Amino acid sequence: MKNNIKAEVSISINGTISDVWNALTKPEIIRQYFFDTNTITNWEIGGPIKFIGEWKGKFYEDKGTILDIVTNKLIKFAYWSSMSGIEDRAEDYVIITYLLSGEDQNVQLTVLQENIPDENMKSHAEENWNKVLQGLKKVVEEKTVNS
């Protein structure tokens, strides 16, 4: 299905780059802001990534492959959602990229989602990513304030 529809969402976070990185990579922190999902991965290029949980009473097991990772800078993975209604084929996976920039106390986190099937799914993706990033910001900034 490869196409050029992309979603991009950014947020500025008052925390350290390492705190934001930890929020992106530590399953116990991810769970706090990412719809209570259980993240399973070794964070190695070529390694699998799974997101397992329950959403509105329905079990899901989403999966993908880590495509690139640079500590404190970038995570990129192919991703398929069991709740998407889209067939589990490599060409139908979206590509998710987390990009970190800026400096401590002014960290910019951008999420780019590529290969989105249509404009409705793009709007849905942007809405979800905005919720996720607001939650991540809250977790990091409360940790920074309370540490």
Side-chain angles (χ1 to χ4, degrees):
M1 166 204 63
K2 297 285 185 194
N3 65 59
N4 293 320
I5 300 175
K6 300 176 186 178
E8 184 172 330
V9 177
S10 295
I11 197 164
S12 182
I13 301 170
N14 180 16
T16 67
I17 290 173
S18 64
D19 282 345
V20 176
W21 182 258
N22 286 338
L24 290 171
T25 59
K26 300 226 178 277
E28 65 276 13
I29 302 174
I30 296 167
R31 185 176 210 130
Q32 293 177 45
Y33 65 84
F34 209 121
F35 308 117
D36 201 34
T37 194
N38 184 24
T39 305
I40 303 167
T41 185
N42 60 11
W43 296 116
E44 293 179 8
I45 295 173
I49 186 168
K50 286 187 179 184
F51 302 95
I52 301 171
E54 188 177 309
W55 177 250
K56 295 183 179 181
K58 185 175 179 185
F59 174 80
Y60 66 86
E61 185 170 330
D62 300 349
K63 64 182 182 173
T65 304
I66 304 294
L67 302 175
D68 198 5
I69 188 163
V70 179
T71 302
N72 292 329
K73 295 192 183 300
L74 169 122
I75 300 171
K76 185 174 190 175
F77 56 96
Y79 170 79
W80 174 80
S81 172
S82 63
M83 296 179 75
S84 68
I86 296 171
E87 198 171 337
D88 181 2
R89 301 181 311 180
E91 64 267 21
D92 294 330
Y93 280 47
V94 296
I95 305 300
I96 308 288
T97 306
Y98 299 145
L99 294 166
L100 283 167
S101 60
E103 55 193 36
D104 286 351
Q105 311 323 315
N106 186 23
V107 179
Q108 188 74 20
L109 173 58
T110 301
V111 176
L112 178 64
Q113 182 169 325
E114 303 173 81
N115 197 36
I116 299 173
D118 59 46
E119 290 295 329
N120 285 338
M121 287 186 139
K122 175 185 176 184
S123 294
H124 180 72
E126 289 170 338
E127 182 180 318
N128 280 343
W129 283 120
N130 276 312
K131 287 178 189 172
V132 167
L133 293 187
Q134 287 296 326
L136 185 149
K137 176 182 174 83
K138 183 178 179 191
V139 166
V140 170
E141 290 182 354
E142 286 179 356
K143 185 243 180 248
T144 301
V145 169
N146 296 323
S147 53

